Amino acid sequence: MKRLTGKITSSIFKELDFNSVEQDKINYAMEVVLTDLSKAAILLIFFAFFGLVIDFLFVLAYSVPLRFNVGGFHMNKYYSCLLFTLMYCSLTIMLQRMVLTDNGLLFSVAAVCCFLIYFISPVIPAKKLNAVLVRKLKMRGVTLSLLYLLIFPLSNSSYVRYGLWVIILQALLILIAKGVKENEKRKNKNYAAGSV
């Protein structure tokens, strides 16, 4: 992906005058876009094979904005990220299609998970955080979660139920990610104290 991005951006840079910082930013943005588009295309083909394209698109439509604001696990490698996204989307679809839950119970669990999202999010690298950003991401994440909750009673569609499953899974994922992050902090603190 880096080679393809490099070829595309080098042809852009020949035509336009950018300094090295601007070139790095454009190169990074192009790499992110191409990587995400290629993963989405692969996943779309996978779910099309099973006749689940619409389900996948709804899961994606609910997941991406929420995940962007509340954070969670992020994989460093292309294939691990692709595999994680495939498992996440597949699990969401399987839960919706196979777990027969009462609408009231599903709604209640999702509502509790909204509180978890409020108290735990965002779970993103500390170097990207400041108090204003944390507050903005938290409020957007909670607002999206509440919006998904409020849409549910208006339509008893299976596609709307995906929003509740996404809230539940995302809350569990950020709870786990927060635990991992805290454990790593504790290990690093103990290691630093022991090495002095």
Side-chain angles (χ1 to χ4, degrees), residues 117-133:
I117 287 170
Y118 176 77
F119 288 111
I120 298 172
S121 72
V123 180
I124 58 177
K127 63 184 175 191
K128 295 181 180 179
L129 290 177
N130 64 51
V132 173
L133 181 60

Side-chain angles (χ1 to χ4, degrees), residues 87-101 106 161-162 164-166 168-169 172:
M87 290 179 355
Y88 173 84
C89 291
S90 298
L91 179 61
T92 307
I93 292 170
M94 283 178 15
L95 286 169
Q96 165 52 30
R97 291 177 157 252
M98 296 179 175
V99 176
L100 301 174
T101 57
L106 183 63
R161 288 172 57 100
Y162 280 125
L164 300 186
W165 284 113
V166 164
I168 293 166
L169 288 175
L172 292 174

Side-chain angles (χ1 to χ4, degrees), residues 70-193:
V70 301
F73 285 106
H74 292 283
M75 305 298 161
N76 294 328
K77 303 287 184 192
Y78 179 86
Y79 291 109
S80 57
C81 181
L82 178 65
L83 182 62
F84 179 80
T85 306
L86 174 65
M87 290 179 355
Y88 173 84
C89 291
S90 298
L91 179 61
T92 307
I93 292 170
M94 283 178 15
L95 286 169
Q96 165 52 30
R97 291 177 157 252
M98 296 179 175
V99 176
L100 301 174
T101 57
D102 175 61
N103 283 344
L105 177 63
L106 183 63
F107 185 86
S108 299
V109 172
V112 168
C113 288
C114 283
F115 283 106
L116 273 176
I117 287 170
Y118 176 77
F119 288 111
I120 298 172
S121 72
V123 180
I124 58 177
K127 63 184 175 191
K128 295 181 180 179
L129 290 177
N130 64 51
V132 173
L133 181 60
V134 167
R135 203 168 27 257
K136 281 183 181 178
L137 292 173
K138 182 182 292 287
M139 293 319 305
R140 285 192 302 218
V142 169
T143 302
L144 282 168
S145 300
L146 291 174
L147 179 64
Y148 297 170
L149 276 176
L150 293 174
I151 291 171
F152 181 69
L154 302 176
S155 171
N156 195 13
S157 163
S158 62
Y159 298 119
V160 174
R161 288 172 57 100
Y162 280 125
L164 300 186
W165 284 113
V166 164
I167 291 170
I168 293 166
L169 288 175
Q170 192 60 41
L172 292 174
L173 285 173
I174 64 170
L175 183 64
I176 294 167
K178 183 76 165 191
V180 167
K181 193 175 179 182
E182 292 300 319
N183 190 39
E184 286 176 0
K185 268 193 221 176
R186 194 171 30 258
K187 279 183 183 177
N188 290 338
K189 191 176 184 181
N190 289 343
Y191 178 75

